[in-house]
Amino acid sequence: MVSRAVVIGPARYAVDSGIDSHPPIGESARMYGEVFAGDEMWGTDCCRVLTEDEVQTADAVMRALQEAADETGPDDIFLVVYVGHGQYWSDVPGAQVHFSVGSSYRDKPWTWLSSWYVYRVMRKARARLKVLIADCCYSNLLPQLGEEPVLPGVLGALDEGTCVFTAVKNANFASADGCSALPGNFSKCTPFSGHLLRILQDGTKDHNHQLTIGLLREAVKKEMENCTGAQHQVPRMSLNDARDGTPLFTNQMELKKRDPVPQLPVEPADWVKTLMMDRDSRLDELLKDERKTGDVVALLSSRPDEASRHLARHIDVRANQAFNSPHAFARYWNQVEKALRV
Ligand SMILES: [Zn+2]
């Protein structure tokens, strides 16, 4: 396995650039390297934190990304972490988020790294799961790329295995230093990265031994919502796809401190909650009940958000494979149809 992680964190900018140098960016990048190295699923060889020289230019960042992408194979994960300043110009061709590099100037779009290039290298990587964790201004606009409907196209077709996990904010984080509620070096990181890193280092109470992007997202969201240090904007996952059941990190929490394995959900709404967090871990159990599966797909299809509808389609594909007798399929489809008619 040659999964690769690349961490990009330009913290320093020219004095006359109009961009604030922001030490928490550099500290976050360093801590990603440290925390990934301590995770047996990654270790020191798989993670590359770009040096200050490398984050100086878009060219050097892209070279490093391309190199890492080329090393991944079809069983691997390609993880890109960007911590820095984001910018969004609506008056440049194909308006999109731009990432700052060390040589960027505030009002010179051509000195920034277009997120399209980052997406392109990710999309073309052979890795089966590609994840972008973005902690920057305007990261909430990251999926706003290209034509409608934007989401699935951003990183390639949905089943190419891609997902974006971002801090949601459209304001510069220069005003907020770290989160004072976090211990040690985590408090010197940006709030989003600080909370995320703390969870990666200490684990979560979830019973699973490994963290999928869904579990990680839930844990970060919960912790930031309940944080006593500050009122945080809560992160979200912009894009989710078929392979988010792939384990990404080790759950470092001791077994005895974790919650017991939860009971099987009963109500469709409980199933939805469970599957939104980890779409595959209990899906086989749901598929034992055709009617219930139909209820869950119907409920998901009725919800307005894109993630619910993605999940509905995913379950529907599995249901079509699983219910190969006409009677079983009819039991499933009756429930879906009944709900759709209402
Ligand atoms: Zn906090």
Side-chain angles (χ1 to χ4, degrees):
M1 168 154 158
V2 281
S3 287
R4 287 285 177 268
V6 179
V7 182
I8 308 156
R12 293 215 296 185
Y13 301 87
V15 179
D16 61 347
S17 66
I19 304 172
D20 291 327
S21 293
H22 193 52
I25 294 173
E27 181 63 9
S28 300
R30 193 188 68 76
M31 287 295 287
Y32 277 108
E34 201 177 301
V35 168
F36 289 173
D39 186 330
E40 61 191 24
M41 289 183 67
W42 292 93
T44 38
D45 296 341
C46 294
C47 176
R48 179 168 167 194
V49 179
L50 301 191
T51 62
E52 198 172 339
D53 277 348
E54 286 171 318
V55 298
Q56 195 61 26
T57 63
D59 180 62
V61 169
M62 288 310 300
R63 273 171 201 274
L65 283 177
Q66 186 69 61
E67 234 169 74
D70 288 346
E71 283 165 1
T72 61
D75 292 328
D76 301 324
I77 299 167
F78 184 35
L79 173 64
V80 178
V81 181
Y82 177 81
V83 193
H85 295 284
Q87 190 57 272
Y88 185 85
W89 290 276
S90 53
D91 59 347
V92 302
Q96 61 211 256
V97 173
H98 282 65
F99 297 128
S100 65
V101 291
S103 58
S104 295
Y105 276 69
R106 197 177 62 147
D107 294 322
K108 297 177 180 167
W110 65 92
T111 62
W112 296 58
L113 170 60
S114 164
S115 53
W116 265 120
Y117 294 129
V118 176
Y119 288 140
R120 188 171 187 277
V121 88
M122 291 180 79
R123 195 172 59 234
K124 289 187 173 287
R126 273 172 304 163
R128 68 171 185 149
L129 177 67
K130 304 147 196 181
V131 177
L132 171 65
I133 295 176
D135 183 2
C136 63
C137 336
Y138 296 102
S139 60
N140 57 320
L141 293 178
L142 273 175
Q144 282 191 12
L145 289 163
E147 309 294 316
E148 301 271 329
V150 286
L151 275 172
V154 174
L155 290 166
L158 264 183
D159 53 4
E160 280 185 62
T162 47
C163 135
V164 182
F165 183 41
T166 66
V168 168
K169 55 189 143 200
N170 48 20
N172 198 311
F173 51 44
S175 57
D177 282 335
C179 172
S180 58
L182 287 167
N185 286 334
F186 298 123
S187 66
K188 298 178 200 153
C189 299
T190 70
F192 171 73
S193 286
H195 278 285
L196 177 73
L197 284 161
R198 196 204 65 73
I199 287 163
L200 291 182
Q201 182 177 276
D202 299 344
T204 79
K205 290 172 80 67
D206 188 274
H207 65 95
N208 281 293
H209 301 307
Q210 291 171 321
L211 301 178
T212 61
I213 195 78
L215 286 173
L216 184 61
R217 184 224 12 215
E218 283 308 307
V220 175
K221 187 166 166 249
K222 199 160 139 195
E223 192 176 282
M224 290 184 83
E225 270 170 353
N226 299 325
C227 182
T228 51
Q231 258 209 314
H232 295 301
Q233 280 186 299
V234 172
R236 64 170 182 172
M237 182 154 37
S238 309
L239 183 68
N240 197 355
D241 102 306
R243 296 194 189 89
D244 74 342
T246 305
L248 211 53
F249 301 102
T250 306
N251 186 359
Q252 308 278 14
M253 189 159 292
E254 281 175 70
L255 255 183
K256 60 178 186 218
K257 289 187 183 162
R258 289 190 220 156
D259 296 333
V261 179
Q263 303 267 308
L264 213 54
V266 179
E267 296 302 320
D270 299 329
W271 270 108
V272 166
K273 221 185 278 172
T274 302
L275 296 171
M276 286 298 275
M277 240 182 304
D278 184 344
R279 64 201 295 169
D280 288 316
S281 76
R282 313 207 87 178
L283 184 52
D284 287 335
E285 293 163 292
L286 174 65
L287 290 168
K288 287 179 188 154
D289 184 336
E290 297 94 1
R291 285 195 182 85
K292 185 87 75 182
T293 305
D295 290 339
V296 171
V297 169
L299 178 59
L300 282 166
S301 307
S302 71
R303 306 207 315 182
D305 60 296
E306 190 65 16
S308 295
R309 277 174 289 150
H310 284 165
L311 181 57
R313 284 195 290 273
H314 175 63
I315 300 172
D316 184 55
V317 169
R318 293 286 311 274
N320 277 284
Q321 294 160 355
F323 308 144
N324 42 25
S325 90
H327 288 298
F329 187 79
R331 281 195 289 276
Y332 161 70
W333 189 245
N334 278 344
Q335 298 305 108
V336 178
E337 236 193 351
K338 218 187 301 172
L340 291 180
R341 273 201 305 267
V342 179

